[in-house]
Amino acid sequence: MSATHAEDSRHHLVVVGAGFGGLEVVHRLAGAPLRITLIDRRNHHLFQPLLYQVATASLATSEIAWPIRHLLRRRREVTTLLATVAGVDKQARRVLLDDGSFLSYDTLVIATGARHAYFGHDAWESFAPGLKTLEDATTIRRRILLAFERAEREADPARRKALLTFVIIGAGPTGVELAGTIAELAHMTLVDEFRSIDTREARVVLIEGGPRVLAAFTEDLSTYAQRSLEKLGVEVELGSPVTECTANGVVYGGKTVPAATIIWAAGVQASPAAEWLGVAADRAGRVQVEADLTAPGNPEIFVIGDTAAVVAPDGSPVPGIAPAAKQQGGHVAQTIRARLAGQAGSSPFRYQHAGSLATIGKRLAVIDFGRIKLRGALAWWIWGLAHIYFLIGVRNRLSVALSWLWIHTRDQRSSRLITQGSASPKPAASMPARTSEGAEL
Ligand SMILES: Cc1cc2nc3c(=O)[nH]c(=O)nc-3n(C[C@H](O)[C@H](O)[C@H](O)COP(=O)(O)OP(=O)(O)OC[C@H]3O[C@@H](n4cnc5c(N)ncnc54)[C@H](O)[C@@H]3O)c2cc1C
């Protein structure tokens, strides 16, 4: 059964995924002679670059996400559907939904992003959640805040130490941003608020299998980032991949670190679009698209963003970042417009890299614009202004700017609520809470 009953002879574009890529396709097709159905399994567009700030209690969920339906309310030709895509019938030109219904398309754009990958250790996910969705961010926030709460009541020194140890696996931008901010939370923000523990004793351990942090940046920026993290009190462990991850901690390079909070920031796996389409994928599961971003053998299907393996003009892989997804969305919209205007053929996508940015805590950042490289406080201001600029809506820009001002000047983080009850998450199960007299609660 069809998911919609619209009788309409206009060209029907179905876009799956309202992330950076999918939403850009829809935005750039304003006024084009077609109707669009935008499908997403969540009701909101998410600004993932600031997710770590929700996970570390700096921003609220509503400051970095917007209802898709509201964003497109003025576009009468766009229908938004909250639904999960489970496959594609290429012969019948149908998108298959997980409830058994389907949607016919003339042109299809798949922009379903990626999830974290555990390199064959899927069982680690329950001990070391990754950061990709708002739910992930609030789960991590809850674990971090609960660890401090439980440490406050813990009499046993070894258990208290494990509760006050935070391990982050993977030292890319997300791992570095999480480590720096958790260190600031423990060593600055929370210092006056607990009575039985000294939160400054908390350990933040950043473990990276490769030889340096921020491997995508130049070596001098990596070194600067590592030194800055160490000044914030982060222990940086390089060259030793994690070999074991349990409810009690991690093992890497033959060392065991008991820790109640472990966060996964290493590796991504594309959404299963390649399986839906029955086309070749790279090791990360990304569809190996043609130069014009179409799926091989299917000129009416485009695959973009984190779900696509795209090569830049210099032969290097296009990075899985928001500007790349947006540029691809813009290119696809241009191709669709040209086709609707009766032009045959399509031009290859050409990626233009504007730069790489990463923050280290609330005052420092590194920026690589190619010829220009910046680090320190100036880089942080540029990073901050760029992120505020790319947020959607004046209210959110003001709200985020105000939250950051408060963090900067008063060290107060506004979003420190533990929701969904205070029952211990899984990793704490083997470490029951005790009163100071040692009686189990
Ligand atoms: C923690 C984190 C920090 C990041 N930081 C930065 C940064 O600082 N700078 C930067 O440029 N990039 C950053 N990125 C990467 C950037 O967010 C991605 O490259 C970008 O979001 C990719 O856009 P996309 O459109 O391909 O996918 P996404 O933006 O992930 O959107 C995919 C959409 O598809 C939907 N979807 C998925 N599967 C289905 C399905 N089966 N059915 C229906 N809908 C589905 C999802 O709900 C989602 O809305 C970060 C990513 C993460 C996770």
Side-chain angles (χ1 to χ4, degrees):
M1 203 184 102
S2 174
T4 59
H5 308 280
E7 291 296 330
D8 196 323
S9 60
R10 284 177 296 175
H11 188 98
H12 187 205
L13 168 67
V14 173
V15 178
V16 187
F20 286 101
L23 207 54
E24 185 72 6
V25 174
V26 176
H27 281 323
R28 298 282 285 273
L29 281 170
L34 78 177
R35 68 188 171 98
I36 301 173
T37 303
L38 176 59
I39 307 174
D40 202 296
R41 63 183 172 195
R42 298 179 189 280
N43 85 328
H44 51 266
H45 168 75
L46 176 62
F47 194 82
Q48 291 171 20
L50 291 180
L51 256 185
Y52 80 96
Q53 298 223 349
V54 173
T56 52
S58 307
L59 293 176
T61 52
S62 60
E63 287 175 306
I64 64 159
W66 305 267
I68 301 161
R69 201 170 283 294
H70 178 74
L71 292 177
L72 297 168
R73 66 194 181 284
R74 296 204 177 91
R75 296 282 300 279
R76 305 305 301 174
E77 83 285 18
V78 180
T79 301
T80 302
L81 292 184
L82 177 66
T84 299
V85 169
V88 176
D89 181 343
K90 292 190 292 183
Q91 268 68 43
R93 296 199 176 183
R94 285 174 175 174
V95 171
L96 312 175
L97 304 183
D98 69 344
D99 62 2
S101 61
F102 65 85
L103 218 90
S104 299
Y105 61 82
D106 296 309
T107 299
L108 173 63
V109 177
I110 300 180
T112 39
R115 280 286 300 169
H116 21 265
Y118 286 81
F119 309 125
H121 298 283
D122 290 351
W124 291 0
E125 183 162 15
S126 59
F127 311 121
L131 184 59
K132 184 73 188 168
T133 63
L134 282 182
E135 290 87 344
D136 294 337
T138 51
T139 297
I140 290 171
R141 181 179 74 190
R142 187 165 170 274
R143 286 192 183 194
I144 294 170
L145 296 176
L146 272 178
F148 287 105
E149 295 298 336
R150 296 187 61 233
E152 176 80 345
R153 293 188 307 156
E154 179 57 69
D156 180 88
R159 288 168 189 259
R160 195 167 53 227
K161 197 168 176 196
L163 284 164
L164 290 178
T165 301
F166 301 87
V167 170
I168 297 104
I169 304 169
T174 300
V176 166
E177 287 165 348
L178 281 167
T181 315
I182 294 171
E184 285 177 346
L185 190 67
H187 302 160
M188 298 175 201
T189 311
L190 299 179
V191 169
D192 293 331
E193 300 189 10
F194 289 83
R195 300 295 170 258
S196 304
I197 56 168
D198 182 350
T199 61
R200 284 170 298 196
E201 287 172 8
R203 285 181 75 196
V204 181
V205 187
L206 178 63
I207 303 173
E208 165 60 46
R212 58 193 176 98
V213 305
L214 298 180
F217 289 68
T218 55
E219 218 160 320
D220 55 330
L221 291 180
S222 283
T223 307
Y224 174 81
Q226 183 178 341
R227 290 211 185 109
S228 306
L229 283 169
E230 285 166 349
K231 276 188 200 153
L232 287 174
V234 177
E235 298 169 37
V236 181
E237 298 284 352
L238 301 173
S240 300
V242 167
T243 50
E244 213 179 309
C245 184
T246 69
N248 296 318
V250 296
V251 178
Y252 68 97
K255 283 189 253 181
T256 301
V257 180
T261 309
I262 309 166
I263 306 171
W264 187 260
V268 289
Q269 180 73 26
S271 82
E275 285 170 35
W276 299 342
L277 300 174
V279 295
D282 69 0
R283 278 176 55 200
R286 295 174 304 179
V287 173
Q288 289 176 322
V289 291
E290 302 286 1
D292 62 357
L293 305 177
T294 55
N298 295 92
E300 74 288 2
I301 302 176
F302 296 88
V303 185
I304 60 170
D306 284 3
T307 305
V310 187
V311 178
D314 65 358
S316 62
V318 171
I321 55 174
K326 287 182 85 161
Q327 285 180 33
Q328 290 167 35
H331 182 83
V332 166
Q334 213 174 10
T335 307
I336 293 172
R337 270 186 194 278
R339 285 183 185 173
L340 290 172
Q343 292 167 23
S346 51
S347 56
F349 169 70
R350 296 208 176 278
Y351 173 64
Q352 287 182 330
H353 189 61
S356 306
L357 301 81
T359 53
I360 313 144
K362 65 178 183 180
R363 287 203 175 91
L364 303 176
V366 287
I367 297 183
D368 185 349
F369 284 138
R371 272 194 222 148
I372 301 171
K373 294 180 182 32
L374 297 169
R375 57 197 195 183
L378 175 63
W380 188 92
W381 278 100
I382 294 173
W383 172 92
L385 289 173
H387 282 72
I388 284 177
Y389 174 77
F390 284 112
L391 288 170
I392 299 174
V394 176
R395 191 180 67 84
N396 281 300
R397 289 189 185 123
L398 288 175
S399 163
V400 169
L402 201 63
S403 296
W404 286 351
L405 185 70
W406 239 245
I407 292 168
H408 261 265
T409 55
R410 311 185 70 123
D411 240 323
Q412 287 177 8
R413 291 171 201 267
S414 55
S415 306
R416 282 176 35 205
L417 306 183
I418 300 173
T419 52
Q420 298 152 342
S422 59
S424 301
K426 245 186 187 164
S430 57
M431 294 186 281
R434 288 167 189 272
T435 63
S436 52
E437 286 76 42
E440 208 164 297
L441 289 177

